[in-house]
Amino acid sequence: MDDPQVILGTSRSDMLASLERDGQDPATLDLGSNMMLHFVYKYLPDPPVSPAAPLSLAGASWVPDGVDRISRLPDVLLRNIISRLPAKDAARTAALSSRWRPLWRAAPLSLVDSHLLPDGGAAGQFPIGVPSPRTVAAAVSSALAAHPGPFRCVHLTRSNMDEHRGEMARWIDTLVAQGVKDLVFVNRPWPIDLRLPATLFSCASLTRLYLGVWTLPDTTAVPRGASFPNLRELGLCMTVMEDRDLAFMLERSPVLEFLLIMWSQTGVRLRLVSHSLRCLQLAFTYLEYIYVVDAPRLERLLQCETVGEGGMKSTMERSEIKIGRAPNLRVLGYLLPGEQQLVVDNADLVARSRENIVPTVKILGIEVQFGVRNVVKKVPGFLRCFPNLETLHVHSPPISEESTGKVNLKFWQEGGPIKCIVQSVKKVFFYEFQGSRSEVAFLKFIAERGRVLERMVVVVSSKCFSSSSVGNADAKLMPLMSAKWNNKACKLEIFRSGREDAGGPVYSHELASDFEFADPFDLEDYMKQKGSLQVN
């Protein structure tokens, strides 16, 4: 699709008619929509309760006197128990005894609309083309009306909101009034640009908010005092938003720490000013530019499968990542040399170093098309921007038959030293190695120049292990294994990839925002799959 916004404001019936006029199969519309929703749901957080969790009374049989000691617990503990149950089970506690009845009405509940289905949501998401059961919307309305107390979390993902506009508005009003803290609110298209009720912007109690397949409200009409004073995590999935709307949300979220923008329907043009944000993730997004103006707490800036206006990375216009004040930025990637421009715009840094550098970055991920000479030629410049880099992750996408030239070892040797390779890089991870001369030259250069290199991990593409080419992988790796390693103690590890379709970099959005993992790109499970081959 040439224009990423071509379907905005278009009804499903009009899209189907257009496909039929063009002689295309109308079923492709639902196929594409289902794929879109699959990715949206993949990025949503799991609810904190599950109807599949085991409920055991096995211990009750040995109680000699049969006394109900649980009901004797303090109210605060009983309400805590109720709040950890799915809404249906929480409501049923009122039938246990008169002791429990008032507790349910005051306990903070977790309402997940999929749990209201007969199967508890076990069948997964409804595919597009299958009408969402009206009983789901009716059950949500009943649950919100019946429970006068607060809601701990609410996940509404199963309804076509266009069919329930009146109910949807009442749901938002109720949740705002009852102080919901954790809200996941997804519209099942069509239309895919349904406007979100502006009343949500008055929900000051929110600590986590994920929105899917909406158009953000026109923030110029939102009351001036509206804000999210407690919001720490924000996910915008398949949304339509103006630059000013995104800026408005960031400005009104003074404690926001985690921001995810996933598959934005409009190009992302972000000027980041936030004194609280620690992690920014972009996934499957039309990226135009990011300008980190002032983000003193930002530690991670991560992107995965970002594309330009053309919709394909190979034809995209160059996007720009500009780093201003980000003194704590430690993790950056996956960058695209040759397709993205990196600019440092911190006046103090430039004045001190007179170079385009980001000295704080320790972990970097890059995706390099080693079959495109003009792309590989950009890599040294990128690496020179990170003089204190310690860990480098490199993903090598499949090399097309129309390769535009190889880069040999001489290119790297004549380009002069790269400070981080010589002085600071300790770990290198190379994914989907295919054995091209350009790949071998790059790795050999690092091996022969890296003074402090301790570990090099090479994940070999499964295509190198075809039955018709026994020993093919060893032959392609031989130049690397026979290189004159600068650090003789460096450990070379070689694994076989378990992926049949190399695609983009292996990436976990959950890991990316989990600060217990120092390196969000280091996916050990990927490298230690069954059947992996370790050479050294």
Side-chain angles (χ1 to χ4, degrees):
M1 191 170 291
D2 293 333
D3 186 349
Q5 301 184 37
V6 70
I7 55 177
L8 300 187
T10 306
S11 68
R12 185 170 184 272
S13 59
D14 287 344
M15 286 292 292
L16 289 171
S18 176
L19 288 172
E20 290 179 349
R21 284 195 303 270
D22 294 340
Q24 300 182 44
D25 185 355
T28 59
L29 178 60
D30 287 346
L31 180 64
S33 300
N34 284 321
M35 183 177 294
M36 172 188 73
L37 275 186
H38 167 76
F39 283 110
V40 169
Y41 290 127
K42 181 180 177 181
Y43 276 80
L44 298 179
D46 293 327
V49 298
S50 170
L55 298 174
S56 175
L57 295 177
S61 60
W62 59 264
V63 179
D65 54 7
V67 175
D68 177 10
R69 291 184 172 83
I70 293 180
S71 294
R72 294 181 177 180
L73 293 172
D75 286 1
V76 63
L77 288 180
L78 294 180
R79 282 196 293 268
N80 191 290
I81 291 172
I82 294 171
S83 71
R84 295 175 185 274
L85 297 173
K88 273 186 178 181
D89 296 323
R92 288 172 181 149
T93 62
L96 293 175
S97 68
S98 57
R99 171 82 169 84
W100 288 79
R101 206 163 296 130
L103 295 172
W104 171 80
R105 295 176 61 82
L109 289 191
S110 295
L111 175 61
V112 181
D113 59 359
S114 63
H115 296 171
L116 303 176
L117 294 166
D119 65 352
Q125 301 295 336
F126 302 129
I128 298 297
V130 175
S132 56
R134 301 190 70 85
T135 53
V136 174
V140 169
S141 294
S142 296
L144 291 174
H147 184 64
F151 281 88
R152 174 189 174 197
C153 97
V154 176
H155 288 208
L156 304 178
T157 64
R158 290 303 201 272
S159 294
N160 185 321
M161 299 299 181
D162 189 43
E163 298 177 1
H164 306 281
R165 293 198 183 205
E167 293 161 288
M168 174 185 69
R170 288 191 291 273
W171 294 346
I172 294 294
D173 290 343
T174 300
L175 294 173
V176 170
Q178 296 188 348
V180 64
K181 295 181 180 297
D182 180 345
L183 177 61
V184 176
F185 201 40
V186 177
N187 169 42
R188 291 184 69 249
W190 294 71
I192 65 170
D193 60 344
L194 188 63
R195 191 168 291 278
L196 185 73
T199 49
L200 182 63
F201 280 68
S202 60
C203 192
S205 57
L206 283 168
T207 58
R208 180 163 74 174
L209 173 63
Y210 276 74
L211 300 171
V213 201
W214 293 101
T215 291
L216 293 186
D218 180 359
T219 50
T220 59
V222 173
R224 181 168 296 183
S227 66
F228 298 107
N230 299 298
L231 189 65
R232 296 187 176 275
E233 184 175 348
L234 174 63
L236 301 172
C237 304
M238 194 66 189
T239 54
V240 180
M241 54 188 174
E242 299 288 341
D243 299 347
R244 65 174 182 269
D245 299 332
L246 179 56
F248 177 92
M249 294 195 74
L250 293 176
E251 179 186 340
R252 303 303 175 91
S253 305
V255 299
L256 186 69
E257 296 184 356
F258 304 97
L259 173 62
L260 165 69
I261 301 175
M262 180 265 171
W263 207 331
S264 172
Q265 295 185 55
T266 46
V268 171
R269 298 170 295 273
L270 174 60
R271 296 183 79 259
L272 182 60
V273 178
S274 172
H275 286 196
S276 60
L277 196 69
R278 299 178 63 196
C279 179
L280 169 61
Q281 290 193 66
L282 298 151
F284 301 97
T285 291
Y286 297 102
L287 175 62
E288 295 189 25
Y289 69 79
I290 304 172
Y291 181 12
V292 182
V293 180
D294 187 15
R297 295 193 65 201
L298 184 67
E299 298 177 47
R300 298 181 176 186
L301 198 168
L302 309 169
Q303 61 174 21
C304 177
E305 295 293 331
T306 54
V307 296
E309 289 190 13
M312 297 294 290
K313 284 186 286 190
S314 60
T315 59
M316 68 183 286
E317 296 182 4
R318 284 162 62 91
S319 59
E320 184 177 84
I321 297 178
K322 186 181 291 188
I323 308 296
R325 184 170 181 266
N328 285 301
L329 185 61
R330 299 286 186 270
V331 184
L332 183 62
Y334 272 90
L335 300 186
L336 304 169
E339 298 173 1
Q340 288 181 321
Q341 182 178 5
L342 179 66
V343 178
V344 179
D345 193 30
N346 188 320
D348 293 337
L349 267 180
V350 174
R352 289 200 306 269
S353 66
R354 296 184 180 180
E355 293 182 280
N356 194 42
I357 64 169
V358 188
T360 59
V361 170
K362 304 293 185 182
I363 299 170
L364 174 69
I366 58 176
E367 184 175 359
V368 182
Q369 295 174 306
F370 281 91
V372 182
R373 183 179 179 85
N374 287 338
V375 169
V376 181
K377 288 170 67 175
K378 298 290 184 181
V379 174
F382 261 69
L383 294 179
R384 288 190 175 95
C385 293
F386 309 102
N388 300 314
L389 188 67
E390 296 179 357
T391 302
L392 175 63
H393 294 268
V394 183
H395 175 75
S396 177
I399 298 173
S400 67
E401 295 180 0
E402 296 80 20
S403 177
T404 59
K406 298 179 176 64
V407 174
N408 56 25
L409 184 60
K410 184 179 179 181
F411 162 79
W412 294 98
Q413 293 171 337
E414 293 180 347
I418 299 174
K419 184 177 180 181
C420 65
I421 298 298
V422 175
Q423 297 183 4
S424 62
V425 169
K426 299 177 181 178
K427 300 177 184 178
V428 173
F429 298 83
F430 194 99
Y431 307 100
E432 299 302 326
F433 174 86
Q434 297 152 77
S436 74
R437 188 171 69 178
S438 295
E439 292 175 320
V440 172
F442 174 71
L443 291 173
K444 195 172 181 179
F445 171 76
I446 294 176
E448 294 181 350
R449 296 298 176 95
R451 296 176 186 172
V452 298
L453 186 65
E454 300 172 355
R455 184 186 183 200
M456 180 181 286
V457 176
V458 180
V459 181
V460 182
S461 169
S462 59
K463 293 181 180 179
C464 290
F465 293 89
S466 62
S467 57
S468 61
S469 56
V470 178
N472 190 29
D474 288 345
K476 292 182 175 182
L477 287 162
M478 189 57 65
L480 177 61
M481 290 186 283
S482 60
K484 296 180 181 179
W485 291 68
N486 196 308
N487 182 6
K488 305 299 183 183
C490 180
K491 185 178 182 181
L492 171 64
E493 300 172 64
I494 299 174
F495 296 95
R496 176 177 178 172
S497 172
R499 303 175 70 185
E500 295 301 325
D501 180 9
V506 174
Y507 181 81
S508 167
H509 67 279
E510 296 98 339
L511 203 64
S513 58
D514 189 341
F515 281 80
E516 290 187 6
F517 293 88
D519 185 349
F521 301 131
D522 187 357
L523 305 180
E524 290 292 332
D525 289 342
Y526 172 67
M527 295 177 292
K528 296 181 177 178
Q529 297 190 46
K530 185 178 180 180
S532 63
L533 172 67
Q534 183 165 338
V535 174
N536 189 351

